[in-house]
Amino acid sequence: NVEDVQESVVVPATPFDNNRSKMWEKSFFDDDSLFGGSSESESDDLSDEQDANLPVPDDEEEDVEDHIQSVGEATEELTGLSIDSGVEAASAEDIDALLKELSISDDGAFSKGKDNVSTNPLELAKRHSQLAQESSRKSWADTRLLHIEDFDSYIANPAMSFPFTLDGFQQQAVARIERSESIFVAAHTSAGKTVCAEYAVALCRQHCTRAVYTSPIKALSNQKFRDFSVKFGAENVGLITGDMQVNADDSTVLIMTTEILRSMLYRGADMVRDIEWVIFDEVHYINDTERGVVWEEVIIMLPPYVNMIFLSATTPNTIDFSDWIGRTKRKPIHVIRTNYRPVPLSHNLWAGLKLHKIMEGKSGFLEKGYNEAAKALIPPSATKPGKDQKKQPSSSRATGSKQLAWQQQGSKQNWMSLVKFLDREGLTPSVIFSFSKKKCEEIAHMLRSLDLNTSVENSAVHAFTTQTVARLSPVDATLPQVLTVCEMVKRGIGVHHGGLLPILKEMVEILFSRNLIKVLFATETFAMGVNMPCRCVVFNSIRKHDGIQFRVLEPGEYTQMAGRAGRRGLDKVGTVIMCCFGEVPPPMPILKQMLTGSSTRLSSQFRLTYNMILNLLRVEDMSVEGMIKRSFSEFATQRALTANEYPKLLSRGVKTLAKLDEEFKEDARNRIGAEDLEDYFRVATRLKDLNGELLSYIMVSVGGDGGGALSPGRVVLVTAARKHGCVRAPAIILRPPMVAGSGLGRSSGGSSPRPAVCIVLLPESNIPSSDESANKASKPGTIGHVGARTHRNYAILEIEFDDILFVSSKKHKIDPAVVLKEDSVKVSGGLSSRLNALSTAAPVTRRDEFDAFAGMKPKGKSSDSSSLGKSASSAEEQAVEAIVGYLIEAEKREADSSLPVLDIGDCVKQGTDLLDFRQQCRNVSNLVMTLRGFSSHRHPNLEKYYSSLERKETLRSRVITLRHLLSNESLQLFPDFLQRKAVLLSSGYIDANETVCTKGRVACEVNTCEELIVTEMVFEGVLNDLDPAEVVAALSALVFQEKNSDDDFDTELPEQLVMCCRRMQTIAVNLGQLQKDHGLEVDPKDFCDSLLKFGLVHVVYEWALGVPFSSICDLTLVQEGSIVRCITRLDELCREVRNCARVVGNPTLYRKMEAASMAIKRDIVFASSLYVT
C-alpha cells in the first residue's frame, strides 16, 4: 500500500547505506540550522563579486545576541569597523538599492516613494522570491519514500517480526527506525501507528539501550504498560507515574507522562544517558492550552543523540511541525503520512427510527440521505391539513423555547429505540459520546430495564466485577457508585467519564475490550486516552462546551472520536451515527464542514512559567532566550530571519555604513559654511516627523483639506532629498490629500490618506534641459512631469505628510484643474524617485509605456481640435508660469527667513486632546526658528550634502532595525520574560547576576501547582504550626481545579486551618499585585481565585483524619472520581513540599509532610491499578 501513503519522491537506498548522509550535506546543516554557523551556498545570490567577499559572522547566534541598545551605541560600534581600502566607495544608486533591500512595505512590495521600515520579520521573509517555495534550500522535513520492493529481504535481521503483513506506511516507518532516523507518523486512529513504537522498543532490546514511551495522560500510560508487558515481558517494561514506580531501573522501555520526562531532563537524571528512542504518542495533544507547552520543552531539551518517533492523527501542517523539530534538533525528520483507513467509515443520521447515510468512505456528502432524514423527522400530522396543525409542534419543544430544534435531547423512548436497534443490527460494541458526565449517567439510567448480555456473558462479568471489588475494603465496596456501575455492566451497559472512580474506569475499559459491555456512554476523554476500537460510534450531540462557550465539534475532534469505529480484521465498515432527536437534523453546512473539513492544525501553546525560567537559569546548556527562540511559536519568524540572506544583508549594511561614515568625516573639510549639517539634519527630521503627525491628525479630525491647511494654492516647504532631490524647496498644493473611496478626506475603514499633489520648485542646480525630447518625455499636467519656466525647473509630484517641512500661511489663488489633469493616468511613485537634483532634468518615462490605451481617440470627438488645444495649452502655460513665480518668491522669502508659518492649531476647532495638539503646534514654530538659525539652511549646496547625510542616517536606521530583528528583543515573549524575571528578582528568587537563590531552588521543586505560592508558604512558615491533616487540607486548594460553590469555609473546620487558608489567599493576592506592578496583565483577585479553590478542604481534612470514603462523599457534590484525582495529586504535592523542606533545611516540616502523605494514602483512593497488578 505504498501508493496510499503519500505522493512523494522515492529514494533508492538500502537501510545500511553508508553514503546516505550525502542527502544531507554539511552545508545544508550549516545554512539552514536555526543555531549553526552561516556559510555561503549557491542559493544565496549576491549582487556582485564585491558582495561575495563580505565577512559573514561565523556564529550566527553570537551575531544575533549582540544587538544595539541605542542609536548612540550603534553609531559608535558601526563607525569603529575597519574598511577595505581596496574597495571603491558605493554610489548613491548602490546605497539606494541597498536601502530598498533593507526595507519592505506591508504588502511585500517596495515602498512607493517612501522606504517604510517593516519591523515584522515575516514580511522580510517575502524578499527575493519567497525562500520556502522557490529556492533550492532543502526542508528539514523529508517526505521522500524509501524504495522497498520486498520488505522481508529489505531488513535482513529485523529486531522483531509481526504476525501480519505491514501496511505501506508501517514498512516505511520500520525501515527508517532500522536506519536510526527520526520519524513523524501521521495516520488515522486505529491505522496501526503502534507498530512503530513496538519496533523501536525491540530495537532497543537488541542494542541493549532504553526507550521512553510518553503519553499525554496517566490512564493511557497504564494501558500501554499492560499491552507492552504482554508483548515484551513484564521484566522489560517499566512505569513511572505520579504515585508509583514499577521496574523503573532495569526495563528496556519506560512508560511515563510527558511531564515526568520533562522533570528528568531538568534534573539531568542519569537514566537519560541510556535513552536511544523517545516515542511521543498523541502528539496532537500539543494543542492543549494548559499542557501543550510541555511537549515543546521536552523536544527542545532532549539530547542530540536521542532519536524520536512522533505518532499523531492526521494534521494539515505536519510538514511545518516536522521542519520545526528538525531545525531545533539539527537532524532531518522523515514524515510518513497516510490517509489510508483500514476500516472505512459510514456516517449516518438517526432519524425516524432508521439510519440515513450521508457519507461513506472517501465519497462526498450525500445530500439525498440528508433530505431523507429531514423528511423522516416531520411529524405525520404536519403533512395533513387540520385544525390542530399549528398546535402540534409545541410539545416537541418542551426543553426550552430558545433552543434550536436540531439541538433537542432524546427521551427515554428515543434511547430505548436506538439501543435496541444497535443490538438488533449487530452494531455492538458501541460507544455513545455525550459531552457531559451528568448526561452520560442519565441516559445509562434510562436503560436500566435493558439487558444486552447473554447468561454466559453475565457470569463472566459477575466474576470479573467480584474480583475487582475484592481489592476494596468492605466499606468501600458498598459505595453507591461501585454498586451502580457493577450492576450496570452486568447488563452490558457502562459509563466512562472523569467523575468515575479510577478502579471502576479501568474495570469498564477491560470489560469493554473483552466485548462484555455492549453499549458504553463516554465523554470525549475516552477517545483521547483509551485506545479501544468498537463497531459503532454514536454522537448524542455534535455540540460541546469548551470551557468558555458551547460550539460545534471541530473536524479534527469529530475525526478523533469517529475514528474509534471499525475494528481491524473484524468489521468491514465502521458505523458512525449522529442522533437527530429534534424536528430537523443539524444544518447541512455544519455537517459538511464537520465531516469534510480540514483537521485541526498543530499550534504552539508555548508560554513562560516561573518554574521554567528558574530551571533554565540553573542549567548551562540552555538559556531562557534560547528556549523561546526554539519554540514552535517562534519557528516561522526564526526560519525567516536565520536564512543566510539576512545576516549577509546585515553585514553588507554594516560595511557600507562604515564606509559612508568615513567618507563623511573626510568630506568635512569641503563643507565650508555647512559645519552644522548634522545638527540641521536632526532638527529637520524632527520637524518633518512632527508635521507629519499633526497633518495626519487634522485629516482624521477635520477631513477634506484639513481645515484649509492643505487646500489648493497653499505654499509648503518640502524636504525629500533622496526621493525628489528637494531640500526646503517651496511647493504649492494642487490637490489636497484624499482618502481612497471617499471624496471627503475621511476613511471609514481606517485607510491612510492619499498623498497630496504639489508643484515643486526644483533647486537651481537642476538646470533646464534644451533637448526637445526632454520636454516631450511626459505630458504636462501629469504626476511626474518635469518642466521649466522662467529659467527654473519644476515638477508635479506626490508629497507625503512627513516630506513637508512646514506649512506656510501664504496662499495663492490658482485653478488646479488647469495645471493638473485629474483624468490622466497616474504614474507610479517609483518614477518621481528618479527625479534627483544631482542630475539634470532627464527625460521622464513616457506615459505611453504604461498606458495600454495611449493613442486611442475618444469616441464621438473630432480629431481636429488644434485650436482648442492651443487655447488650453496657452492657459496652462500661463498658470504654470504664475505658480513658478510664486514659488521663486517664496524661495527668496525663506532665504531671508521671512516666509510666514501657518499655525495648524487654528485649523482644528474642537477635539478631546486639543490642548496637547496646540502644544505640538507651538513646537513646530520653535523648531522652524531653530532650523533657520543654522548656517546650512542657506547653503547653496545643501541638497548635495543633505542627500548624502540622509542616505547614511537612513542606512544606519535600517541596520539598527535589522540588528534588532535578529536579536532576542524581537522575540514575542521576550517582554514577558523580562517582566517575570523582574518579579523573581524583586522577590528574592534570583540575584542581580541571575543566579538562582534558595527561594528559586525551592520553587524548582514544585511542578504540581503554582510554584510561587507554595514557596512563599514555606518561607513564611504558614504550614509550620498545622497538624498533618490540616496541612494536606490546606494544600488541597492548590490542586483542586473544578468549579464549585462550596468555597466557603465550613464552621466545623479548625480555626487554625481557616487562618492558614486566609493567609494563602493573602499570599496569592500579593503575588498577583506584584506581577501587575511589573507590567504583567494579571488581576490580583482573579489570580487568587483561579489558583486557590477551597471546595475540598473539608473533604480532604476528614479523609486525612481517617473518615471512610462513603462519609466524605456526603460532604460535597463533587463526584467521586474528582475527589480521588484531587487526593492523588495531593500526594504528589506533599512529596514536592517535603523536598522544599529539605532544600531550606526544615526537618520539622519534612517529617510533617511525610506524615501528611501517609495519612491520605489508603483505601479506595490508592487502590492498585488493574493494568499494573
Side-chain angles (χ1 to χ4, degrees):
N1 296 322
V2 174
E3 63 277 3
D4 291 326
V5 180
Q6 59 196 60
E7 295 181 2
S8 185
V9 179
V10 177
V11 180
T14 61
F16 306 105
D17 186 0
N18 293 328
N19 296 323
R20 65 177 182 269
S21 60
K22 292 182 179 178
M23 294 192 306
W24 308 98
E25 300 172 356
K26 184 179 183 300
S27 61
F28 168 56
F29 292 98
D30 292 338
D31 291 347
D32 263 5
S33 171
L34 184 57
F35 319 104
S38 179
S39 63
E40 296 177 8
S41 65
E42 295 180 359
S43 62
D44 293 296
D45 299 326
L46 298 177
S47 59
D48 50 37
E49 294 180 1
Q50 177 180 335
D51 293 330
N53 297 321
L54 291 178
V56 179
D58 291 331
D59 191 336
E60 191 176 66
E61 187 171 24
E62 292 180 6
D63 182 68
V64 169
E65 298 286 346
D66 185 24
H67 70 280
I68 303 172
Q69 297 292 337
S70 64
V71 175
E73 294 178 10
T75 305
E76 180 180 353
E77 178 181 347
L78 298 177
T79 55
L81 295 176
S82 61
I83 306 172
D84 249 342
S85 58
V87 180
E88 296 181 1
S91 65
E93 290 78 8
D94 294 336
I95 299 172
D96 286 340
L98 178 59
L99 287 173
K100 280 190 174 183
E101 286 192 84
L102 287 167
S103 175
I104 302 295
S105 66
D106 291 339
D107 60 357
F110 289 135
S111 304
K112 180 179 176 180
K114 176 182 177 181
D115 292 325
N116 295 324
V117 181
S118 173
T119 57
N120 183 357
L122 295 180
E123 297 299 335
L124 293 176
K126 297 179 181 178
R127 298 180 62 252
H128 291 302
S129 71
Q130 298 187 350
L131 179 68
Q133 296 181 5
E134 299 180 16
S135 78
S136 59
R137 197 181 298 271
K138 303 182 185 73
S139 169
W140 291 90
D142 182 18
T143 60
R144 295 177 294 180
L145 298 179
L146 296 172
H147 182 64
I148 304 175
E149 292 183 355
D150 182 10
F151 181 76
D152 293 334
S153 61
Y154 188 83
I155 301 178
N157 184 25
M160 71 176 294
S161 58
F162 298 92
F164 51 86
T165 302
L166 296 182
D167 291 335
F169 84 93
Q170 293 171 331
Q171 292 180 7
Q172 291 288 325
V174 169
R176 292 291 185 184
I177 294 171
E178 187 70 42
R179 292 155 59 98
S180 297
E181 295 173 342
S182 297
I183 61 173
F184 190 112
V185 181
H188 286 298
T189 305
S190 304
K193 298 188 292 289
T194 308
V195 165
C196 312
E198 292 175 352
Y199 194 85
V201 173
L203 202 62
C204 288
R205 186 170 57 179
Q206 189 181 74
H207 295 170
C208 297
T209 55
R210 307 191 74 178
V212 170
Y213 184 98
T214 69
S215 65
I217 56 178
K218 177 183 172 183
L220 189 57
S221 296
N222 292 339
Q223 183 186 348
K224 285 298 178 185
F225 176 80
R226 184 190 67 169
D227 296 343
F228 281 4
S229 296
V230 173
K231 177 77 68 174
F232 300 104
E235 70 280 0
N236 292 317
V237 183
L239 175 67
I240 300 180
T241 62
D243 55 350
M244 73 168 67
Q245 289 191 12
V246 179
N247 200 17
D249 297 328
D250 304 322
S251 57
T252 301
V253 57
L254 196 54
I255 301 170
M256 63 184 72
T257 58
T258 317
E259 282 84 356
I260 294 176
L261 179 57
R262 177 187 61 174
S263 299
M264 288 184 173
L265 293 171
Y266 276 135
R267 295 198 314 267
D270 294 337
M271 188 271 293
V272 177
R273 293 198 299 264
D274 301 328
I275 299 176
E276 181 183 6
W277 289 94
V278 172
I279 301 127
F280 295 90
D281 198 5
E282 308 287 352
V283 177
H284 47 270
Y285 212 89
I286 197 172
N287 289 336
D288 184 77
T289 306
E290 293 296 323
R291 300 173 56 212
V293 61
V294 180
W295 271 256
E296 295 189 52
E297 287 183 79
V298 171
I299 292 170
I300 292 170
M301 291 190 299
L302 275 177
Y305 56 81
V306 175
N307 297 315
M308 298 167 291
I309 297 174
F310 300 91
L311 308 178
S312 171
T314 54
T315 56
N317 61 333
T318 302
I319 300 296
D320 285 342
F321 189 77
S322 301
D323 194 12
W324 164 69
I325 299 170
R327 287 174 183 271
T328 302
K329 307 309 296 181
R330 294 180 62 88
K331 63 173 67 174
I333 304 298
H334 300 275
V335 180
I336 302 169
R337 297 175 296 176
T338 177
N339 289 320
Y340 170 69
R341 189 184 290 277
V343 182
L345 298 182
S346 172
H347 305 267
N348 304 268
L349 295 178
W350 171 257
L353 303 181
K354 60 185 297 187
L355 296 182
H356 304 272
K357 189 179 299 182
I358 57 174
M359 196 172 83
E360 182 166 7
K362 296 181 180 180
S363 65
F365 190 85
L366 304 177
E367 295 188 8
K368 179 181 178 182
Y370 179 86
N371 294 331
E372 290 176 352
K375 187 176 180 180
L377 291 174
I378 300 176
S381 58
T383 60
K384 300 178 182 179
K387 298 179 181 178
D388 301 330
Q389 182 177 349
K390 296 182 180 179
K391 300 179 181 179
Q392 187 67 26
S394 62
S395 61
S396 61
R397 295 181 181 269
T399 55
S401 57
K402 293 184 180 180
Q403 222 175 4
L404 296 177
W406 63 273
Q407 299 174 13
Q408 302 302 310
Q409 297 294 318
S411 62
K412 178 180 179 179
Q413 182 180 358
N414 295 141
W415 283 109
M416 290 285 285
S417 301
L418 175 58
V419 173
K420 287 180 179 178
F421 174 84
L422 296 175
D423 186 46
R424 183 174 64 251
E425 298 296 325
L427 294 177
T428 58
S430 298
V431 176
I432 300 177
F433 285 109
S434 183
F435 305 108
S436 164
K437 301 174 187 176
K438 183 179 179 182
K439 195 65 181 177
C440 284
E441 296 194 350
E442 284 181 359
I443 301 174
H445 289 153
M446 291 179 186
L447 308 177
R448 56 183 175 269
S449 61
L450 279 182
D451 189 348
L452 305 177
N453 280 343
T454 64
S455 57
V456 175
E457 291 171 335
N458 279 331
S459 299
V461 173
H462 177 75
F464 186 76
T465 54
T466 302
Q467 183 182 358
T468 301
V469 173
R471 294 170 177 254
L472 307 178
S473 66
V475 177
D476 291 336
T478 59
L479 285 171
Q481 191 179 83
V482 174
L483 298 176
T484 301
V485 173
C486 288
E487 186 276 333
M488 194 181 296
V489 296
K490 290 177 184 177
R491 295 184 285 106
I493 298 173
V495 292
H496 188 284
H497 55 73
L500 218 57
L501 290 167
I503 193 171
L504 295 182
K505 278 205 294 187
E506 293 179 348
M507 181 185 74
V508 169
E509 292 166 8
I510 294 173
L511 289 174
F512 184 79
S513 66
R514 296 178 182 178
N515 201 15
L516 295 175
I517 290 181
K518 299 300 189 297
V519 175
L520 177 64
F521 295 90
T523 54
E524 188 178 4
T525 53
F526 182 83
M528 288 294 295
V530 183
N531 184 20
M532 292 183 180
C534 57
R535 176 72 188 279
C536 176
V537 165
V538 180
F539 289 89
N540 171 39
S541 173
I542 59 171
R543 297 176 76 247
K544 61 176 280 190
H545 194 274
D546 58 5
I548 301 176
Q549 61 181 357
F550 280 100
R551 61 170 176 81
V552 176
L553 294 177
E554 298 288 345
E557 295 171 331
Y558 175 82
T559 302
Q560 177 76 16
M561 288 180 276
R564 295 298 173 191
R567 298 164 298 175
R568 189 168 190 174
L570 296 176
D571 304 323
K572 292 183 178 180
V573 65
T575 304
V576 183
I577 301 174
M578 285 161 277
C579 296
C580 302
F581 295 128
E583 295 179 351
V584 294
M588 188 183 299
I590 291 179
L591 290 177
K592 281 185 176 180
Q593 170 63 19
M594 193 172 67
L595 268 64
T596 62
S598 177
S599 55
T600 307
R601 294 175 59 87
L602 295 175
S603 60
S604 176
Q605 303 297 331
F606 187 84
R607 69 184 191 282
L608 290 176
T609 63
Y610 293 106
N611 185 282
M612 180 197 301
I613 294 173
L614 291 169
N615 273 302
L616 290 174
L617 290 176
R618 295 177 69 185
V619 301
E620 297 179 357
D621 298 336
M622 180 77 67
S623 64
V624 181
E625 296 92 334
M627 177 70 80
I628 300 173
K629 193 181 303 178
R630 290 162 170 83
S631 68
F632 189 38
S633 61
E634 288 285 341
F635 168 60
T637 301
Q638 294 301 315
R639 179 171 56 179
L641 291 180
T642 55
N644 278 350
E645 183 182 359
Y646 300 105
K648 287 185 178 181
L649 190 60
L650 176 62
S651 179
R652 288 173 55 193
V654 168
K655 190 167 184 178
T656 304
L657 180 60
K659 294 176 187 176
L660 294 178
D661 281 333
E662 189 67 22
E663 292 171 2
F664 189 80
K665 288 180 180 179
E666 292 177 355
D667 196 45
R669 66 175 72 94
N670 300 324
R671 293 194 299 271
I672 300 174
E675 292 83 0
D676 54 7
L677 180 65
E678 291 180 280
D679 293 334
Y680 177 83
F681 176 81
R682 280 192 288 270
V683 174
T685 302
R686 173 60 187 143
L687 180 58
K688 290 200 306 174
D689 292 342
L690 183 57
N691 258 307
E693 295 173 6
L694 295 177
L695 293 175
S696 298
Y697 175 83
I698 64 173
M699 287 301 298
V700 174
S701 302
V702 181
D705 55 9
L710 299 176
S711 58
R714 176 72 65 185
V715 176
V716 297
L717 247 61
V718 174
T719 293
R722 282 183 52 234
K723 287 188 288 185
H724 305 309
C726 304
V727 180
R728 47 109 172 93
I732 287 181
I733 295 177
L734 300 178
R735 186 186 68 197
M738 298 176 64
V739 177
S742 172
L744 300 177
R746 291 183 180 272
S747 172
S748 59
S751 58
S752 58
R754 213 166 66 189
V757 177
C758 303
I759 182 168
V760 184
L761 184 69
L762 298 180
E764 291 184 354
S765 57
N766 198 312
I767 303 172
S769 174
S770 58
D771 189 1
E772 290 290 333
S773 62
N775 298 327
K776 297 179 181 179
S778 61
K779 294 187 177 181
T782 60
I783 297 175
H785 170 70
V786 177
R789 284 290 182 274
T790 62
H791 306 290
R792 288 295 297 273
N793 270 2
Y794 69 91
I796 300 177
L797 303 172
E798 286 186 331
I799 301 299
E800 304 280 351
F801 282 162
D802 51 5
D803 289 335
I804 297 177
L805 193 63
F806 67 81
V807 180
S808 170
S809 60
K810 193 71 176 174
K811 184 178 178 182
H812 298 281
K813 186 175 181 180
I814 64 171
D815 186 359
V818 176
V819 181
L820 178 65
K821 294 179 174 58
E822 291 290 349
D823 58 347
S824 64
V825 176
K826 181 181 176 182
V827 182
S828 71
L831 194 63
S832 60
S833 65
R834 284 180 266 169
L835 301 175
N836 195 311
L838 300 179
S839 61
T840 59
V844 183
T845 306
R846 294 176 55 85
R847 169 190 165 185
D848 296 1
E849 298 178 6
F850 296 90
D851 190 0
F853 300 98
M856 296 181 67
K857 299 176 182 179
K859 183 178 180 181
K861 292 191 176 183
S862 172
S863 59
D864 187 12
S865 55
S866 58
S867 59
L868 293 175
K870 289 181 180 179
S871 175
S873 176
S874 175
E876 179 183 349
E877 291 174 357
Q878 293 176 8
V880 170
E881 189 164 351
I883 291 175
V884 171
Y886 298 149
L887 294 177
I888 293 175
E889 178 188 355
E891 184 181 54
K892 292 179 180 178
R893 295 193 63 179
E894 180 56 27
D896 299 334
S897 301
S898 60
L899 186 66
V901 180
L902 175 67
D903 185 359
I904 301 178
D906 295 338
C907 301
V908 179
K909 305 301 181 183
Q910 58 184 1
T912 55
D913 48 358
L914 196 58
L915 293 178
D916 181 62
F917 174 74
R918 293 191 179 280
Q919 177 59 44
Q920 296 295 340
C921 293
R922 286 191 288 272
N923 292 341
V924 168
S925 301
N926 296 334
L927 287 173
V928 171
M929 292 177 60
T930 304
L931 194 71
R932 287 170 171 172
F934 291 111
S935 60
S936 298
H937 189 63
R938 287 167 291 278
H939 198 282
N941 293 328
L942 176 61
E943 290 81 9
K944 175 183 177 182
Y945 298 149
Y946 194 98
S947 296
S948 60
L949 180 59
E950 184 182 43
R951 282 186 174 86
K952 181 171 72 76
E953 294 305 319
T954 304
L955 179 59
R956 188 186 313 282
S957 174
R958 303 293 161 78
V959 167
I960 292 173
T961 300
L962 188 55
R963 293 289 293 266
H964 172 75
L965 291 175
L966 291 172
S967 72
N968 290 329
E969 290 188 2
S970 67
L971 298 174
Q972 184 178 2
L973 289 176
F974 192 73
D976 184 58
F977 166 56
L978 295 180
Q979 293 163 350
R980 290 180 182 273
K981 190 168 65 173
V983 171
L984 295 174
L985 179 62
S986 63
S987 303
Y989 289 80
I990 59 175
D991 60 19
N993 298 321
E994 296 188 4
T995 302
V996 179
C997 305
T998 305
K999 279 181 94 171
R1001 288 190 287 118
V1002 168
C1004 288
E1005 298 292 334
V1006 183
N1007 297 295
T1008 307
C1009 59
E1010 176 57 41
E1011 54 273 1
L1012 296 190
I1013 295 179
V1014 174
T1015 304
E1016 295 299 328
M1017 290 173 63
V1018 170
F1019 275 82
E1020 292 185 17
V1022 174
L1023 305 176
N1024 291 348
D1025 299 330
L1026 300 182
D1027 296 333
E1030 296 171 340
V1031 169
V1032 78
L1035 292 178
S1036 69
L1038 289 163
V1039 296
F1040 181 56
Q1041 297 177 331
E1042 295 185 14
K1043 296 180 180 179
N1044 189 36
S1045 58
D1046 300 341
D1047 275 0
D1048 294 335
F1049 301 113
D1050 202 307
T1051 54
E1052 300 178 8
L1053 290 176
E1055 183 179 352
Q1056 197 165 296
L1057 175 57
V1058 175
M1059 290 293 295
C1060 173
C1061 294
R1062 299 296 185 197
R1063 290 184 65 184
M1064 290 172 64
Q1065 288 178 315
T1066 303
I1067 290 172
V1069 171
N1070 292 339
L1071 285 173
Q1073 185 61 48
L1074 179 65
Q1075 295 176 84
K1076 184 178 181 180
D1077 294 341
H1078 282 87
L1080 290 166
E1081 295 182 359
V1082 175
D1083 181 82
K1085 188 176 185 309
D1086 292 344
F1087 179 77
C1088 174
D1089 294 341
S1090 63
L1091 295 176
L1092 297 178
K1093 300 187 185 300
F1094 300 96
L1096 290 184
V1097 170
H1098 191 191
V1099 171
V1100 174
Y1101 177 68
E1102 297 291 343
W1103 175 254
L1105 292 178
V1107 175
F1109 191 81
S1110 57
S1111 299
I1112 67 169
C1113 290
D1114 296 334
L1115 300 175
T1116 181
L1117 298 176
V1118 179
Q1119 290 184 313
E1120 292 88 336
S1122 300
I1123 297 174
V1124 171
R1125 187 163 54 251
C1126 173
I1127 297 176
T1128 304
R1129 294 189 63 211
L1130 196 52
D1131 176 61
E1132 190 174 347
L1133 178 58
C1134 287
R1135 291 197 300 272
E1136 292 174 353
V1137 177
R1138 182 194 64 186
N1139 295 335
C1140 294
R1142 174 179 50 78
V1143 173
V1144 299
N1146 187 342
T1148 303
L1149 181 60
Y1150 185 92
R1151 289 190 293 270
K1152 190 175 294 184
M1153 296 315 302
E1154 284 190 325
S1157 180
M1158 293 299 297
I1160 61 176
K1161 292 182 69 172
R1162 61 182 177 87
D1163 297 344
I1164 194 171
V1165 174
F1166 286 86
S1168 58
S1169 171
L1170 298 178
Y1171 289 126
V1172 179
T1173 57

